[in-house]
Amino acid sequence: MNVPNHVAIIMDGNGRWAASKGMPRNYGHAKGSNTVELITQAASDLGIKYLTIYAFSTENWSRPADEVDALMKLMREYIKRCIRKAAKNNMKVRIIGNTSKLAPDIQELIAELETSSAGYTGLNFQIAINYGSRDEMIRAVRRIAEKSADGLLKPEEIDEELFASYLDTKEIPDPDLMIRTSGEQRLSNYLLWQMAYTELYFTDVPWPAFTKEELVKAIEVYNGRNRRFGNI
Ligand code: FPP
């Protein structure tokens, strides 16, 4: 099997999965966080080099406060576990998104996770937290404009490569395959610049029920596609 270099995932359906079992939404998020561990392991075993997951979007703040709190609590617990997992599995972890808006203790945990795993050479694992593609691009444009206003950058020096180097995903290759679980077929402000030529795969399976077998199925479909990088 020819595995894609970079797989990006929108982990959708935690709430609906929990409701189908007569359980509260936060139960679905907790199960979803277990699936993250399962899928990082599977990605690593399959030889995928880059995996990026959408854990919390810039729009997710508008959910009820108790759900946001529960997601942040899960994030804390997950990052702590991830520090150990990264060391065990040689995994380099980076957070994308506007982390300056997160609680100070979460920012500290993120710094510890990124610093401690920076030298690992296995799976490159990106977690999008308080991430939105439009927000990412606006933050990039502001920094570019500041540099230009300071006379350090000429407008004609701005090209695709330079712009990409100002994104949170700098140094990370564009995704080859994007998987969205639970039936919805949209991008929801996820990696819009980076996914210009990415193959899209949608499955009805909700995230808490997603497995290595489902990941393999997505890769098999990807392998059957005729990829193009321009002219349609
Ligand atoms: C969508 O389910 C999922 C999210 C809001 C974010 C994903 C979060 C997790 C998998 C758990 C925490 C992650 C980590 C890394 C600790 P939904 O609530 O939108 O489901 P619904 O569409 O069925 O309501």
Side-chain angles (χ1 to χ4, degrees):
M1 193 170 62
N2 173 24
V3 296
N5 187 48
H6 184 175
V7 177
I9 304 184
I10 299 180
M11 312 180 291
D12 199 7
N14 294 342
R16 278 165 286 167
W17 178 85
S20 76
K21 303 222 164 313
M23 298 296 281
R25 295 178 56 79
N26 292 338
Y27 176 73
H29 294 317
K31 284 286 176 188
S33 135
N34 293 342
T35 306
V36 171
E37 294 203 30
L38 210 121
I39 295 304
T40 49
Q41 186 64 54
S44 182
D45 294 345
L46 289 167
I48 292 168
K49 296 282 186 306
Y50 293 83
L51 175 71
T52 304
I53 60 163
Y54 208 177
F56 194 90
S57 75
T58 46
E59 289 73 31
N60 284 153
W61 295 109
S62 62
R63 293 196 175 196
D66 71 315
E67 187 173 346
V68 171
D69 287 349
L71 280 166
M72 287 301 149
K73 190 162 173 265
L74 270 177
M75 225 63 83
R76 283 185 182 87
E77 289 164 2
Y78 178 77
I79 295 169
K80 283 181 201 159
R81 282 205 305 278
C82 197
I83 292 170
R84 293 194 299 273
K85 281 269 157 123
K88 193 164 158 254
N89 296 341
N90 193 28
M91 187 164 80
K92 177 171 177 169
V93 192
R94 278 169 278 200
I95 308 302
I96 60 169
N98 189 353
T99 52
S100 70
K101 297 282 191 297
L102 299 171
D105 70 304
I106 298 187
Q107 293 187 45
E108 277 168 34
L109 284 170
I110 287 173
E112 189 183 339
L113 173 60
E114 290 190 323
T115 310
S116 66
S117 72
Y120 296 138
T121 54
L123 179 70
N124 288 278
F125 179 39
Q126 291 68 239
I127 311 174
I129 308 180
N130 191 26
Y131 178 86
S133 212
R134 290 181 174 183
D135 176 71
E136 177 191 36
M137 288 195 261
I138 294 296
R139 286 187 282 110
V141 168
R142 283 196 183 141
R143 286 195 294 128
I144 291 170
E146 276 165 17
K147 247 189 151 170
S148 185
D150 291 346
L152 298 169
L153 190 65
K154 296 192 193 77
E156 58 270 27
E157 286 173 329
I158 303 170
D159 57 12
E160 291 187 10
E161 196 184 337
L162 180 124
F163 183 72
S165 77
Y166 278 78
L167 296 174
D168 299 342
T169 50
K170 60 181 174 303
E171 293 160 12
I172 296 164
D174 289 341
D176 301 286
L177 169 66
M178 194 286 296
I179 300 171
R180 181 171 185 148
T181 60
S182 211
E184 310 295 340
Q185 302 197 359
R186 53 179 172 265
L187 293 179
S188 300
N189 204 10
Y190 190 43
L191 303 171
L192 300 181
W193 169 273
Q194 297 86 343
M195 297 212 290
Y197 295 104
T198 300
E199 294 292 329
L200 309 178
Y201 175 86
F202 301 98
T203 171
D204 287 338
V205 177
W207 179 249
F210 196 77
T211 56
K212 183 178 183 180
E213 288 67 37
E214 294 295 334
L215 176 61
V216 168
K217 214 190 273 180
I219 295 171
E220 282 168 355
V221 170
Y222 165 85
N223 277 323
R225 301 255 179 101
N226 178 14
R227 287 201 78 190
R228 303 216 178 168
F229 293 90
N231 309 317
I232 42 165

